[in-house]
């Protein structure tokens, strides 16, 4: 079974401070990991995926297979980063494992 | 990017009535669509997986007779909440995947259902 755990339901940081949203996963094979973001009154959208190894809006996330983690980081948080963030996993095999499994989400609030 | 349109965005209905929510992939064919329910400040709860031309697969605990899903074409899936009750009030979101192996996922804007 695949599982995604986001231990922090709420996270508040001040503007300009570093932020890290934690994500741990459980999967026996090689998963694809994603971060999705949901800004207030907007639809869920893809923020980044581990295979792209990209930085989007200053956010990065590194897949650590040893720790089975995919933490999302940004060195200097901005107020517009306030949103709900979901970590998601997709298994590598076909069938139901191709479904996206979402973590419970972390509500990030960046304070002025 | 690809667009998934969900309609209506907001609906209020009386207890006991049925409500239909549509999810359309506007510029791509989606062989699989997913329906989620989201409670305030909480995660997405997968309700069912909808495959074009076949019966939906429901997650454990989701009443298939209450939440009717129809995926009649490669661009349209509908969720009908039958005999709605106030506890069905929630935010419903659809997701469509593009590509044979669903390598890209796109979400609808969601439907806020309020049952009074």
């Amino acid at each position: 079974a695949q599982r995604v755990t986001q231990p922090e339901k709420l996270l508040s940081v001040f503007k300009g401070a570093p932020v890290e949203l934690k994500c741990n996963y459980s999967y026996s094979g090689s998963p694809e990991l994603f971060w999705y973001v949901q800004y207030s009154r907007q639809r869920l959208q893809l923020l980044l995926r581990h295979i792209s190894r990209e930085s989007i809006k200053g956010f990065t996330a590194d897949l650590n297979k040893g720790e089975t983690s995919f933490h999302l980081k940004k060195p200097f948080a901005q107020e517009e980063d306030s949103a709900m963030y979901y970590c998601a996993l997709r298994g590598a095999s076909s069938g139901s494992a191709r479904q996206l499994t979402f973590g419970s989400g972390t509500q990030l609030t960046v304070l002025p | 990017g690809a667009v998934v349109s969900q309609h209506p965005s907001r609906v209020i209905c009386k207890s006991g009535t049925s409500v239909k929510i549509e999810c359309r992939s506007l510029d791509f064919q989606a062989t699989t669509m997913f329906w989620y329910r989201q409670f305030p400040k909480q995660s997405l709860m997968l309700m069912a997986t909808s495959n074009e031309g076949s019966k939906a697969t429901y997650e454990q605990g989701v009443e298939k007779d209450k939440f009717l899903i129809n995926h009649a074409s490669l661009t349209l899936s509908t969720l009908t909440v039958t005999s709605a009750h106030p506890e069905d009030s929630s935010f419903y979101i659809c997701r469509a995947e593009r590509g044979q192996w669903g390598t890209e996922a796109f979400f609808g804007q969601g439907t806020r259902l309020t049952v009074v």
Side-chain angles (χ1 to χ4, degrees):
Chain A
Q2 53 197 60
R3 189 163 61 189
V4 178
T5 303
Q6 291 179 251
E8 302 142 327
K9 197 163 188 168
L10 302 169
L11 181 63
S12 294
V13 299
F14 285 102
K15 177 182 173 182
V19 62
E20 180 180 69
L21 288 84
K22 292 185 167 50
C23 172
N24 288 91
Y25 66 90
S26 173
Y27 184 68
S28 57
S30 294
E32 291 181 68
L33 274 297
F34 307 82
W35 277 98
Y36 283 85
V37 61
Q38 188 176 27
Y39 299 103
S40 180
R41 299 182 187 279
Q42 294 188 30
R43 72 183 70 200
L44 253 131
Q45 55 187 287
L46 178 66
L47 180 62
L48 54 79
R49 62 184 75 185
H50 90 272
I51 58 174
S52 302
R53 301 184 68 81
E54 59 201 341
S55 173
I56 303 293
K57 298 184 180 181
F59 285 97
T60 58
D62 291 319
L63 178 59
N64 186 322
K65 291 186 178 181
E67 296 182 358
T68 60
S69 68
F70 188 56
H71 302 328
L72 183 68
K73 300 176 184 178
K74 183 168 182 176
F76 308 104
Q78 302 299 313
E79 288 181 71
E80 54 265 29
D81 295 328
S82 296
M84 190 74 160
Y85 291 81
Y86 293 96
C87 182
L89 175 153
R90 191 201 303 275
S93 57
S94 61
S96 60
R98 292 296 297 169
Q99 289 184 11
L100 275 176
T101 298
F102 287 89
S104 52
T106 298
Q107 178 68 47
L108 173 66
T109 302
V110 181
L111 304 166
Chain B
V3 177
V4 173
S5 176
Q6 195 173 332
H7 179 80
S9 58
R10 189 180 296 267
V11 59
I12 300 173
C13 71
K14 289 186 176 178
S15 204
T17 61
S18 295
V19 173
K20 181 186 282 188
I21 303 170
E22 292 187 348
C23 181
R24 293 179 184 274
S25 54
L26 296 185
D27 53 357
F28 66 100
Q29 293 183 332
T31 52
T32 305
M33 289 189 177
F34 302 85
W35 286 95
Y36 295 86
R37 186 170 177 176
Q38 184 181 36
F39 293 99
K41 305 276 187 186
Q42 293 191 32
S43 185
L44 300 162
M45 184 191 80
L46 179 65
M47 298 174 67
T49 302
S50 162
N51 291 295
E52 185 266 336
S54 63
K55 288 184 179 179
T57 303
Y58 290 81
E59 295 299 301
Q60 196 171 11
V62 179
E63 298 177 61
K64 60 179 71 175
D65 293 331
K66 182 167 186 61
F67 298 99
L68 299 178
I69 291 173
N70 184 281
H71 196 154
S73 76
L74 286 171
T75 58
L76 174 64
S77 177
T78 61
L79 167 68
T80 302
V81 183
T82 63
S83 187
H85 287 104
E87 56 264 32
D88 298 325
S89 298
S90 191
F91 196 58
Y92 294 87
I93 302 174
C94 70
R95 173 170 72 90
E97 298 211 333
R98 181 171 68 182
Q100 182 182 4
W101 299 113
T103 54
E104 298 185 63
F106 302 93
F107 290 86
Q109 65 268 49
T111 297
R112 171 74 59 195
L113 170 63
T114 303
V115 184
V116 297

